Amino acid sequence: MVSIRYPARAGAGRYPTAPQLSAREAAAFDVRNNFSEQVPRGKVRWAATRTSAHVGAPPAAGRAPGQRLPVVLYSPGVGDPRSFGSTLCDELASRGYAVVTIDHTYEAPAVEFPDGRLARSVLASELAKAQKSGRITELLKKVSGVRVADTRFVLDELAERGAASPLPSGLRRALDLHAVGMFGQSAGGFTAAQTMHDDRRIKAAVNLDGVMGYTQRDDDPSNPSTVGREGVDRPLLLMGMAGNTHHTVASWGAVWRHSTGTWLRDLTLRGSRHASFTDAEALVPQIARRVGLPRKEVTALIGTVDPARAVAAQRAYVSAFFDRWLRGRDDGGLLDGPSARFPEVQFVR
């Protein structure tokens, strides 16, 4: 299941705003989500959250072949729905990209399809079986393999033409499939890098705080992935929480060492935590005010960085990266060294 965000014609505000989750997806998310330890069940109306997108708005006027929309794919972290990257995905769409967000069915809490089918997560039961049998590494390899296969299937579907295309008619000739990038958070960042390694159609990738090996520990060098053993030969941006760099995260170091002759950057968002690279950065402070979440619980989830500054930095650097590598646009040196505009971002050499 995917959603596609794109630049719309003037007047899109007449169309309903897109919910972050459908009512049935929200009910499943309330039962099992990555905030469960901090946010009690039944305290948040997850179905009430709206994004900045408008459902069914007509795409902006048709483009000549040389003016088609570059495509960016988004993969969420383990246990997150595709909509938990809406902040960055809406931003990229507003800048002229077609952004395809991917749900990894049976891993996300619940995925609702247009025909009404609801596919619930089996991840918890699979994890329990793997822990009992000592086969965690095998499960991680399976999850990663399925994610990469999902992504490559989506790329195949986007390339279909005519009546075989699953795209709305207004988008079928609007996408530039020669300019495709990918990004994701956590396992989604691993998916982006691994898919770029495996599939030449991905031209550039961003990994937001995702381990790139089959391990549950950042510092564990065992069980490396093929992207770790062989590196990449196209641009890769790593952006991590405080303390996560290619010097401290074993799989990042492996990719860094084995990626020769290509463009690499390693950025740290000071004061951030793992969930800072999802919509949690914007949602958690609001949830905290409503349910009385203690400050220590908030910082455990999203760190101490100011949420507005964290969101602004991610929007700027992720957009600049894809502008540079998918559109050939000048970013004014933002990706080349520290900027006074974003003192929260540290360049790691």
Side-chain angles (χ1 to χ4, degrees):
M1 185 63 199
V2 306
S3 293
I4 304 180
R5 284 164 160 77
Y6 51 86
R9 293 179 189 170
R14 298 194 303 269
Y15 293 81
T17 52
Q20 192 166 34
L21 295 167
S22 72
R24 297 168 76 201
E25 289 172 337
F29 187 80
D30 189 50
V31 173
R32 185 180 298 279
N33 62 70
N34 287 327
F35 311 136
S36 295
E37 292 185 9
Q38 291 85 9
V39 181
R41 187 184 303 182
K43 293 294 186 180
V44 177
R45 291 178 56 217
W46 297 107
T49 308
R50 292 294 184 268
T51 69
S52 297
H54 294 268
V55 179
R63 291 165 169 78
Q67 299 175 315
R68 290 178 179 163
L69 302 173
V71 177
V72 175
L73 308 179
Y74 173 75
S75 174
V78 168
D80 279 346
R82 68 188 187 279
S83 58
F84 260 59
S86 292
T87 301
L88 279 176
C89 293
D90 286 349
E91 177 72 16
L92 288 166
S94 78
R95 291 173 180 255
Y97 292 89
V99 185
V100 182
T101 63
I102 303 171
D103 257 337
H104 300 291
T105 313
Y106 303 113
E107 184 191 308
V111 180
E112 185 170 10
F113 290 87
D115 63 3
R117 180 168 67 96
L118 190 74
R120 296 183 182 276
S121 177
V122 299
L123 187 62
S125 60
E126 290 295 311
L127 180 59
K129 288 189 289 186
Q131 289 172 330
K132 186 175 181 179
S133 63
R135 298 175 65 83
I136 291 292
T137 299
E138 288 76 6
L139 176 61
L140 295 175
K141 289 180 178 179
K142 180 178 181 179
V143 168
S144 175
V146 168
R147 283 169 156 268
V148 172
D150 284 348
T151 306
R152 300 183 78 173
F153 171 76
V154 169
L155 286 169
D156 291 343
E157 290 293 292
L158 292 176
E160 290 286 357
R161 293 288 181 260
S165 173
L167 294 172
S169 58
L171 287 176
R172 289 180 185 175
R173 299 179 62 83
L175 307 187
D176 183 357
L177 296 178
H178 297 289
V180 179
M182 186 171 182
F183 78 108
Q185 183 263 354
S186 192
F190 180 11
T191 303
Q194 185 66 57
T195 306
M196 184 168 71
H197 170 275
D198 295 352
D199 198 310
R200 303 296 305 181
R201 289 176 289 185
I202 304 292
K203 306 303 182 186
V206 179
N207 177 354
L208 300 174
D209 210 48
V211 173
M212 294 185 283
Y214 306 116
T215 175
Q216 294 178 294
R217 284 186 18 231
D218 288 352
D219 62 349
D220 182 6
S222 64
N223 302 306
S225 61
T226 50
V227 71
R229 292 197 301 268
E230 300 169 8
V232 296
D233 61 1
R234 277 148 286 159
L236 175 66
L237 172 64
L238 304 174
M239 196 169 188
M241 72 175 189
N244 279 2
T245 74
H246 68 277
H247 300 297
T248 62
V249 179
S251 59
W252 287 24
V255 172
W256 197 270
R257 290 192 303 274
H258 296 124
S259 300
T260 57
T262 192
W263 189 97
L264 298 172
R265 290 291 184 277
D266 182 355
L267 308 181
T268 295
L269 181 59
R270 293 186 174 100
S272 65
R273 298 292 295 164
H274 191 55
S276 294
F277 301 95
T278 72
D279 288 348
E281 187 65 36
L283 288 171
V284 167
Q286 299 175 70
I287 293 169
R289 289 193 293 271
R290 293 297 183 94
V291 304
L293 210 60
R295 177 62 182 167
K296 66 177 182 179
E297 301 284 8
V298 174
T299 56
L301 285 169
I302 60 170
T304 57
V305 63
D306 177 78
R309 295 297 305 167
V311 170
Q314 291 177 64
R315 283 173 166 168
Y317 284 91
V318 173
S319 298
F321 175 82
F322 287 124
D323 277 354
R324 179 182 286 201
W325 298 112
L326 299 185
R327 289 168 143 173
R329 291 186 175 178
D330 180 15
D331 53 48
L334 184 65
L335 293 168
D336 297 326
S339 169
R341 290 169 52 205
F342 298 103
E344 303 86 357
V345 175
Q346 175 188 0
F347 280 67
V348 181
R349 304 299 183 186

